Each structure stands twice: as structure tokens, then as C-alpha cells.
mmCIF file of all heavy atoms in Angstrom:
data_model
loop_
_atom_site.group_PDB
_atom_site.id
_atom_site.type_symbol
_atom_site.label_atom_id
_atom_site.label_comp_id
_atom_site.label_asym_id
_atom_site.label_seq_id
_atom_site.Cartn_x
_atom_site.Cartn_y
_atom_site.Cartn_z
ATOM 1 N N GLU M 1 0.804 -1.208 -0.011
ATOM 2 C CA GLU M 1 -0.017 -0.008 -0.008
ATOM 3 C C GLU M 1 0.853 1.259 -0.006
ATOM 4 O O GLU M 1 0.499 2.268 0.585
ATOM 5 C CB GLU M 1 -0.981 -0.012 1.189
ATOM 6 C CG GLU M 1 -1.979 -1.159 1.103
ATOM 7 C CD GLU M 1 -2.959 -1.179 2.230
ATOM 8 O OE1 GLU M 1 -2.819 -0.433 3.224
ATOM 9 O OE2 GLU M 1 -3.917 -1.981 2.148
ATOM 10 N N GLY M 2 2.015 1.174 -0.660
ATOM 11 C CA GLY M 2 2.889 2.357 -0.783
ATOM 12 C C GLY M 2 3.624 2.755 0.509
ATOM 13 O O GLY M 2 4.272 3.803 0.509
ATOM 14 N N LYS M 3 3.534 1.970 1.559
ATOM 15 C CA LYS M 3 4.138 2.278 2.834
ATOM 16 C C LYS M 3 5.545 1.760 2.887
ATOM 17 O O LYS M 3 5.814 0.606 2.708
ATOM 18 C CB LYS M 3 3.353 1.645 4.003
ATOM 19 C CG LYS M 3 1.973 2.193 4.113
ATOM 20 C CD LYS M 3 1.200 1.473 5.172
ATOM 21 C CE LYS M 3 -0.262 1.929 5.194
ATOM 22 N NZ LYS M 3 -1.101 1.111 6.087
ATOM 23 N N ILE M 4 6.480 2.670 3.108
ATOM 24 C CA ILE M 4 7.877 2.290 3.240
ATOM 25 C C ILE M 4 8.065 1.423 4.507
ATOM 26 O O ILE M 4 7.576 1.771 5.569
ATOM 27 C CB ILE M 4 8.801 3.565 3.336
ATOM 28 C CG1 ILE M 4 8.623 4.411 2.095
ATOM 29 C CG2 ILE M 4 10.247 3.149 3.530
ATOM 30 C CD1 ILE M 4 9.004 3.739 0.775
ATOM 31 N N GLY M 5 8.753 0.325 4.362
ATOM 32 C CA GLY M 5 9.001 -0.538 5.477
ATOM 33 C C GLY M 5 8.213 -1.818 5.417
ATOM 34 O O GLY M 5 8.643 -2.853 5.925
ATOM 35 N N ALA M 6 7.060 -1.862 4.790
ATOM 36 C CA ALA M 6 6.245 -3.065 4.658
ATOM 37 C C ALA M 6 6.199 -3.490 3.213
ATOM 38 O O ALA M 6 5.703 -2.847 2.330
ATOM 39 C CB ALA M 6 4.822 -2.818 5.163
ATOM 40 N N ARG M 7 6.778 -4.669 2.957
ATOM 41 C CA ARG M 7 6.794 -5.236 1.580
ATOM 42 C C ARG M 7 5.599 -6.136 1.380
ATOM 43 O O ARG M 7 5.086 -6.737 2.323
ATOM 44 C CB ARG M 7 8.071 -6.033 1.373
ATOM 45 C CG ARG M 7 9.335 -5.226 1.308
ATOM 46 C CD ARG M 7 9.647 -4.863 -0.045
ATOM 47 N NE ARG M 7 10.928 -4.195 -0.127
ATOM 48 C CZ ARG M 7 11.313 -3.357 -1.064
ATOM 49 N NH1 ARG M 7 10.471 -3.121 -2.045
ATOM 50 N NH2 ARG M 7 12.444 -2.787 -1.015
ATOM 51 N N VAL M 8 5.226 -6.270 0.140
ATOM 52 C CA VAL M 8 4.183 -7.234 -0.235
ATOM 53 C C VAL M 8 4.689 -8.634 -0.146
ATOM 54 O O VAL M 8 5.823 -8.932 -0.508
ATOM 55 C CB VAL M 8 3.657 -6.955 -1.657
ATOM 56 C CG1 VAL M 8 2.770 -8.045 -2.184
ATOM 57 C CG2 VAL M 8 2.968 -5.568 -1.763
ATOM 58 N N ILE M 9 3.880 -9.547 0.437
ATOM 59 C CA ILE M 9 4.144 -10.958 0.345
ATOM 60 C C ILE M 9 2.918 -11.624 -0.325
ATOM 61 O O ILE M 9 1.805 -11.088 -0.156
ATOM 62 C CB ILE M 9 4.459 -11.604 1.694
ATOM 63 C CG1 ILE M 9 3.342 -11.341 2.748
ATOM 64 C CG2 ILE M 9 5.806 -11.102 2.235
ATOM 65 C CD1 ILE M 9 3.556 -12.055 4.079
ATOM 66 N N ARG M 10 3.135 -12.673 -1.055
ATOM 67 C CA ARG M 10 2.056 -13.336 -1.792
ATOM 68 C C ARG M 10 2.218 -14.835 -1.681
ATOM 69 O O ARG M 10 3.282 -15.343 -1.479
ATOM 70 C CB ARG M 10 2.081 -12.964 -3.266
ATOM 71 C CG ARG M 10 1.669 -11.553 -3.546
ATOM 72 C CD ARG M 10 1.627 -11.354 -5.039
ATOM 73 N NE ARG M 10 1.050 -10.058 -5.426
ATOM 74 C CZ ARG M 10 -0.174 -9.810 -5.617
ATOM 75 N NH1 ARG M 10 -1.091 -10.722 -5.518
ATOM 76 N NH2 ARG M 10 -0.571 -8.617 -5.953
ATOM 77 N N GLY M 11 1.135 -15.524 -1.976
ATOM 78 C CA GLY M 11 1.133 -16.992 -2.137
ATOM 79 C C GLY M 11 0.736 -17.828 -0.944
ATOM 80 O O GLY M 11 0.488 -18.987 -1.085
ATOM 81 N N GLY M 12 0.725 -17.236 0.230
ATOM 82 C CA GLY M 12 0.378 -17.998 1.428
ATOM 83 C C GLY M 12 1.473 -19.034 1.780
ATOM 84 O O GLY M 12 2.498 -19.112 1.100
ATOM 85 N N SER M 13 1.250 -19.777 2.823
ATOM 86 C CA SER M 13 2.259 -20.721 3.299
ATOM 87 C C SER M 13 1.636 -21.995 3.773
ATOM 88 O O SER M 13 0.452 -22.202 3.753
ATOM 89 C CB SER M 13 3.083 -20.116 4.421
ATOM 90 O OG SER M 13 2.366 -20.159 5.629
ATOM 91 N N TRP M 14 2.519 -22.894 4.281
ATOM 92 C CA TRP M 14 2.104 -24.147 4.855
ATOM 93 C C TRP M 14 1.164 -24.006 6.053
ATOM 94 O O TRP M 14 0.428 -24.909 6.386
ATOM 95 C CB TRP M 14 3.312 -25.000 5.245
ATOM 96 C CG TRP M 14 4.248 -24.248 6.168
ATOM 97 C CD1 TRP M 14 5.340 -23.545 5.841
ATOM 98 C CD2 TRP M 14 4.097 -24.213 7.619
ATOM 99 N NE1 TRP M 14 5.922 -23.002 6.958
ATOM 100 C CE2 TRP M 14 5.240 -23.403 8.063
ATOM 101 C CE3 TRP M 14 3.285 -24.720 8.529
ATOM 102 C CZ2 TRP M 14 5.453 -23.124 9.426
ATOM 103 C CZ3 TRP M 14 3.466 -24.440 9.892
ATOM 104 C CH2 TRP M 14 4.530 -23.670 10.313
ATOM 105 N N SER M 15 1.135 -22.820 6.659
ATOM 106 C CA SER M 15 0.279 -22.608 7.817
ATOM 107 C C SER M 15 -1.037 -21.895 7.520
ATOM 108 O O SER M 15 -1.755 -21.582 8.432
ATOM 109 C CB SER M 15 1.067 -21.809 8.890
ATOM 110 O OG SER M 15 1.383 -20.540 8.443
ATOM 111 N N ASN M 16 -1.290 -21.672 6.251
ATOM 112 C CA ASN M 16 -2.475 -20.838 5.885
ATOM 113 C C ASN M 16 -3.634 -21.635 5.264
ATOM 114 O O ASN M 16 -3.397 -22.647 4.603
ATOM 115 C CB ASN M 16 -2.099 -19.721 4.916
ATOM 116 C CG ASN M 16 -1.179 -18.731 5.528
ATOM 117 O OD1 ASN M 16 -0.067 -18.514 5.057
ATOM 118 N ND2 ASN M 16 -1.559 -18.093 6.602
ATOM 119 N N ARG M 17 -4.838 -21.071 5.419
ATOM 120 C CA ARG M 17 -6.018 -21.634 4.833
ATOM 121 C C ARG M 17 -6.088 -21.183 3.339
ATOM 122 O O ARG M 17 -5.405 -20.206 2.942
ATOM 123 C CB ARG M 17 -7.269 -21.118 5.562
ATOM 124 C CG ARG M 17 -7.443 -21.697 6.940
ATOM 125 C CD ARG M 17 -8.709 -21.207 7.565
ATOM 126 N NE ARG M 17 -9.178 -21.740 8.799
ATOM 127 C CZ ARG M 17 -8.524 -22.220 9.823
ATOM 128 N NH1 ARG M 17 -7.257 -22.270 9.851
ATOM 129 N NH2 ARG M 17 -9.155 -22.660 10.909
ATOM 130 N N PRO M 18 -6.938 -21.825 2.511
ATOM 131 C CA PRO M 18 -7.004 -21.533 1.106
ATOM 132 C C PRO M 18 -7.226 -20.102 0.696
ATOM 133 O O PRO M 18 -6.674 -19.645 -0.326
ATOM 134 C CB PRO M 18 -8.170 -22.404 0.611
ATOM 135 C CG PRO M 18 -8.193 -23.540 1.587
ATOM 136 C CD PRO M 18 -7.787 -22.987 2.895
ATOM 137 N N VAL M 19 -7.995 -19.303 1.475
ATOM 138 C CA VAL M 19 -8.246 -17.901 1.059
ATOM 139 C C VAL M 19 -6.945 -17.130 0.923
ATOM 140 O O VAL M 19 -6.861 -16.260 0.070
ATOM 141 C CB VAL M 19 -9.232 -17.243 2.087
ATOM 142 C CG1 VAL M 19 -8.584 -17.110 3.461
ATOM 143 C CG2 VAL M 19 -9.706 -15.928 1.532
ATOM 144 N N TYR M 20 -5.928 -17.454 1.715
ATOM 145 C CA TYR M 20 -4.684 -16.709 1.662
ATOM 146 C C TYR M 20 -3.731 -17.198 0.560
ATOM 147 O O TYR M 20 -2.754 -16.598 0.233
ATOM 148 C CB TYR M 20 -3.963 -16.864 3.013
ATOM 149 C CG TYR M 20 -4.758 -16.305 4.151
ATOM 150 C CD1 TYR M 20 -5.318 -17.130 5.090
ATOM 151 C CD2 TYR M 20 -4.956 -14.922 4.293
ATOM 152 C CE1 TYR M 20 -6.092 -16.621 6.101
ATOM 153 C CE2 TYR M 20 -5.694 -14.414 5.290
ATOM 154 C CZ TYR M 20 -6.288 -15.282 6.238
ATOM 155 O OH TYR M 20 -7.059 -14.724 7.268
ATOM 156 N N LEU M 21 -4.107 -18.286 -0.084
ATOM 157 C CA LEU M 21 -3.324 -18.902 -1.169
ATOM 158 C C LEU M 21 -3.781 -18.458 -2.525
ATOM 159 O O LEU M 21 -3.172 -18.811 -3.554
ATOM 160 C CB LEU M 21 -3.303 -20.429 -1.100
ATOM 161 C CG LEU M 21 -2.362 -21.033 -0.058
ATOM 162 C CD1 LEU M 21 -2.633 -20.671 1.344
ATOM 163 C CD2 LEU M 21 -2.375 -22.543 -0.215
ATOM 164 N N ARG M 22 -4.846 -17.686 -2.607
ATOM 165 C CA ARG M 22 -5.350 -17.192 -3.895
ATOM 166 C C ARG M 22 -4.320 -16.256 -4.564
ATOM 167 O O ARG M 22 -3.625 -15.512 -3.876
ATOM 168 C CB ARG M 22 -6.640 -16.373 -3.710
ATOM 169 C CG ARG M 22 -7.762 -17.225 -3.253
ATOM 170 C CD ARG M 22 -8.974 -16.369 -3.062
ATOM 171 N NE ARG M 22 -10.089 -17.131 -2.449
ATOM 172 C CZ ARG M 22 -11.158 -16.569 -1.970
ATOM 173 N NH1 ARG M 22 -11.320 -15.274 -2.006
ATOM 174 N NH2 ARG M 22 -12.091 -17.307 -1.457
ATOM 175 N N MET M 23 -4.299 -16.283 -5.868
ATOM 176 C CA MET M 23 -3.321 -15.434 -6.633
ATOM 177 C C MET M 23 -3.532 -13.971 -6.388
ATOM 178 O O MET M 23 -2.622 -13.188 -6.457
ATOM 179 C CB MET M 23 -3.390 -15.810 -8.112
ATOM 180 C CG MET M 23 -3.012 -17.205 -8.420
ATOM 181 S SD MET M 23 -1.283 -17.601 -8.158
ATOM 182 C CE MET M 23 -1.212 -18.130 -6.447
ATOM 183 N N SER M 24 -4.774 -13.571 -6.149
ATOM 184 C CA SER M 24 -5.068 -12.149 -5.970
ATOM 185 C C SER M 24 -4.785 -11.654 -4.539
ATOM 186 O O SER M 24 -4.746 -10.417 -4.324
ATOM 187 C CB SER M 24 -6.548 -11.883 -6.268
ATOM 188 O OG SER M 24 -7.369 -12.634 -5.372
ATOM 189 N N TYR M 25 -4.545 -12.535 -3.575
ATOM 190 C CA TYR M 25 -4.400 -12.092 -2.226
ATOM 191 C C TYR M 25 -2.924 -11.661 -1.941
ATOM 192 O O TYR M 25 -1.987 -12.302 -2.349
ATOM 193 C CB TYR M 25 -4.703 -13.256 -1.242
ATOM 194 C CG TYR M 25 -4.740 -12.802 0.201
ATOM 195 C CD1 TYR M 25 -5.864 -12.224 0.713
ATOM 196 C CD2 TYR M 25 -3.615 -12.869 0.996
ATOM 197 C CE1 TYR M 25 -5.900 -11.768 2.019
ATOM 198 C CE2 TYR M 25 -3.619 -12.414 2.335
ATOM 199 C CZ TYR M 25 -4.784 -11.860 2.806
ATOM 200 O OH TYR M 25 -4.788 -11.424 4.108
ATOM 201 N N GLN M 26 -2.822 -10.507 -1.346
ATOM 202 C CA GLN M 26 -1.516 -10.030 -0.904
ATOM 203 C C GLN M 26 -1.600 -9.486 0.489
ATOM 204 O O GLN M 26 -2.685 -9.105 0.981
ATOM 205 C CB GLN M 26 -0.978 -8.975 -1.835
ATOM 206 C CG GLN M 26 -1.743 -7.689 -1.863
ATOM 207 C CD GLN M 26 -1.099 -6.675 -2.802
ATOM 208 O OE1 GLN M 26 -0.148 -6.891 -3.456
ATOM 209 N NE2 GLN M 26 -1.698 -5.480 -2.832
ATOM 210 N N LYS M 27 -0.483 -9.422 1.142
ATOM 211 C CA LYS M 27 -0.414 -9.014 2.556
ATOM 212 C C LYS M 27 0.856 -8.176 2.733
ATOM 213 O O LYS M 27 1.824 -8.361 1.928
ATOM 214 C CB LYS M 27 -0.367 -10.279 3.372
ATOM 215 C CG LYS M 27 -0.333 -10.133 4.838
ATOM 216 C CD LYS M 27 -0.429 -11.552 5.464
ATOM 217 C CE LYS M 27 -0.152 -11.477 6.908
ATOM 218 N NZ LYS M 27 -0.351 -12.765 7.603
ATOM 219 N N GLY M 28 0.909 -7.333 3.710
ATOM 220 C CA GLY M 28 2.095 -6.555 3.984
ATOM 221 C C GLY M 28 2.824 -7.160 5.172
ATOM 222 O O GLY M 28 2.227 -7.667 6.109
ATOM 223 N N PHE M 29 4.141 -7.090 5.139
ATOM 224 C CA PHE M 29 4.955 -7.598 6.226
ATOM 225 C C PHE M 29 6.185 -6.730 6.354
ATOM 226 O O PHE M 29 6.800 -6.323 5.343
ATOM 227 C CB PHE M 29 5.348 -9.061 5.984
ATOM 228 C CG PHE M 29 5.822 -9.808 7.196
ATOM 229 C CD1 PHE M 29 4.887 -10.340 8.114
ATOM 230 C CD2 PHE M 29 7.159 -9.959 7.459
ATOM 231 C CE1 PHE M 29 5.275 -11.024 9.247
ATOM 232 C CE2 PHE M 29 7.584 -10.651 8.589
ATOM 233 C CZ PHE M 29 6.656 -11.139 9.479
ATOM 234 N N ASN M 30 6.588 -6.400 7.552
ATOM 235 C CA ASN M 30 7.739 -5.538 7.767
ATOM 236 C C ASN M 30 8.977 -6.199 7.205
ATOM 237 O O ASN M 30 9.317 -7.346 7.517
ATOM 238 C CB ASN M 30 7.913 -5.333 9.275
ATOM 239 C CG ASN M 30 9.010 -4.313 9.572
ATOM 240 O OD1 ASN M 30 9.984 -4.186 8.890
ATOM 241 N ND2 ASN M 30 8.808 -3.547 10.645
ATOM 242 N N ALA M 31 9.646 -5.499 6.325
ATOM 243 C CA ALA M 31 10.814 -6.049 5.571
ATOM 244 C C ALA M 31 11.980 -6.336 6.483
ATOM 245 O O ALA M 31 12.880 -7.102 6.062
ATOM 246 C CB ALA M 31 11.225 -5.070 4.467
ATOM 247 N N ASP M 32 12.029 -5.855 7.687
ATOM 248 C CA ASP M 32 13.098 -6.139 8.609
ATOM 249 C C ASP M 32 12.864 -7.365 9.479
ATOM 250 O O ASP M 32 13.762 -7.829 10.178
ATOM 251 C CB ASP M 32 13.335 -4.940 9.577
ATOM 252 C CG ASP M 32 13.895 -3.740 8.832
ATOM 253 O OD1 ASP M 32 14.593 -3.910 7.792
ATOM 254 O OD2 ASP M 32 13.623 -2.587 9.265
ATOM 255 N N ASP M 33 11.641 -7.864 9.442
ATOM 256 C CA ASP M 33 11.279 -9.022 10.267
ATOM 257 C C ASP M 33 11.475 -10.314 9.519
ATOM 258 O O ASP M 33 11.468 -10.375 8.288
ATOM 259 C CB ASP M 33 9.812 -8.935 10.740
ATOM 260 C CG ASP M 33 9.635 -7.812 11.722
ATOM 261 O OD1 ASP M 33 10.628 -7.324 12.308
ATOM 262 O OD2 ASP M 33 8.465 -7.401 11.900
ATOM 263 N N ARG M 34 11.613 -11.428 10.236
ATOM 264 C CA ARG M 34 11.771 -12.760 9.657
ATOM 265 C C ARG M 34 10.867 -13.727 10.363
ATOM 266 O O ARG M 34 10.530 -13.568 11.511
ATOM 267 C CB ARG M 34 13.214 -13.264 9.782
ATOM 268 C CG ARG M 34 14.259 -12.343 9.153
ATOM 269 C CD ARG M 34 14.123 -12.336 7.608
ATOM 270 N NE ARG M 34 15.070 -11.403 7.042
ATOM 271 C CZ ARG M 34 14.742 -10.183 6.607
ATOM 272 N NH1 ARG M 34 13.502 -9.712 6.752
ATOM 273 N NH2 ARG M 34 15.640 -9.394 6.074
ATOM 274 N N THR M 35 10.465 -14.774 9.615
ATOM 275 C CA THR M 35 9.619 -15.814 10.161
ATOM 276 C C THR M 35 9.789 -17.100 9.371
ATOM 277 O O THR M 35 10.339 -17.058 8.262
ATOM 278 C CB THR M 35 8.130 -15.400 10.193
ATOM 279 O OG1 THR M 35 7.364 -16.401 10.825
ATOM 280 C CG2 THR M 35 7.573 -15.090 8.828
ATOM 281 N N THR M 36 9.376 -18.209 9.901
ATOM 282 C CA THR M 36 9.590 -19.531 9.218
ATOM 283 C C THR M 36 8.735 -19.773 8.022
ATOM 284 O O THR M 36 8.924 -20.746 7.333
ATOM 285 C CB THR M 36 9.409 -20.652 10.221
ATOM 286 O OG1 THR M 36 8.039 -20.635 10.701
ATOM 287 C CG2 THR M 36 10.376 -20.614 11.339
ATOM 288 N N ASN M 37 7.739 -18.906 7.786
ATOM 289 C CA ASN M 37 6.872 -19.167 6.639
ATOM 290 C C ASN M 37 6.918 -18.104 5.571
ATOM 291 O O ASN M 37 6.035 -17.977 4.763
ATOM 292 C CB ASN M 37 5.405 -19.407 7.126
ATOM 293 C CG ASN M 37 4.827 -18.215 7.776
ATOM 294 O OD1 ASN M 37 5.480 -17.225 8.082
ATOM 295 N ND2 ASN M 37 3.473 -18.200 7.968
ATOM 296 N N ILE M 38 7.976 -17.340 5.496
ATOM 297 C CA ILE M 38 8.218 -16.355 4.419
ATOM 298 C C ILE M 38 9.604 -16.651 3.812
ATOM 299 O O ILE M 38 10.574 -16.838 4.534
ATOM 300 C CB ILE M 38 8.141 -14.905 4.913
ATOM 301 C CG1 ILE M 38 6.794 -14.608 5.522
ATOM 302 C CG2 ILE M 38 8.464 -13.942 3.751
ATOM 303 C CD1 ILE M 38 6.698 -13.158 6.114
ATOM 304 N N GLY M 39 9.632 -16.630 2.491
ATOM 305 C CA GLY M 39 10.903 -16.862 1.770
ATOM 306 C C GLY M 39 10.960 -16.055 0.513
ATOM 307 O O GLY M 39 10.172 -15.104 0.344
ATOM 308 N N PHE M 40 11.833 -16.422 -0.366
ATOM 309 C CA PHE M 40 11.938 -15.737 -1.660
ATOM 310 C C PHE M 40 12.271 -16.737 -2.731
ATOM 311 O O PHE M 40 12.667 -17.840 -2.455
ATOM 312 C CB PHE M 40 12.943 -14.608 -1.660
ATOM 313 C CG PHE M 40 14.348 -15.039 -1.263
ATOM 314 C CD1 PHE M 40 15.251 -15.384 -2.268
ATOM 315 C CD2 PHE M 40 14.718 -15.104 0.046
ATOM 316 C CE1 PHE M 40 16.510 -15.812 -1.925
ATOM 317 C CE2 PHE M 40 15.991 -15.540 0.448
ATOM 318 C CZ PHE M 40 16.920 -15.839 -0.584
#
């Protein structure tokens, strides 16, 4: 959403329900943070 610091993540993960795995779904996550279900 144009906010510096939060990058778009897409695709969902092993811990998510189907709604989050849709191609149109995106979410913001702080680019300085790390977690076991985000990669590149």
C-alpha cells in the first residue's frame, strides 16, 4: 500500500487456509522481520 517498510508478500504458506493462497491475495509484512513461513 505504498508504505515504506512493509513489503508485499504473496502466495500463502504451509500454515495458511485456502483464502490466503489465492493469486489475488496479498499482505504486507515488515521487511526487517523474519519468520519460518516467508521466503523468496
Side-chain angles (χ1 to χ4, degrees):
E1 297 181 350
K3 297 176 184 171
I4 301 299
R7 292 267 186 204
V8 170
I9 56 175
R10 289 185 174 270
S13 79
W14 54 266
S15 65
N16 294 121
R17 289 181 171 36
V19 66
Y20 300 108
L21 280 61
R22 294 180 187 167
M23 297 292 88
S24 61
Y25 189 85
Q26 67 177 3
K27 180 175 169 173
F29 198 81
N30 187 326
D32 291 331
D33 292 341
R34 302 293 176 258
T35 183
T36 60
N37 64 347
I38 299 177
F40 58 93

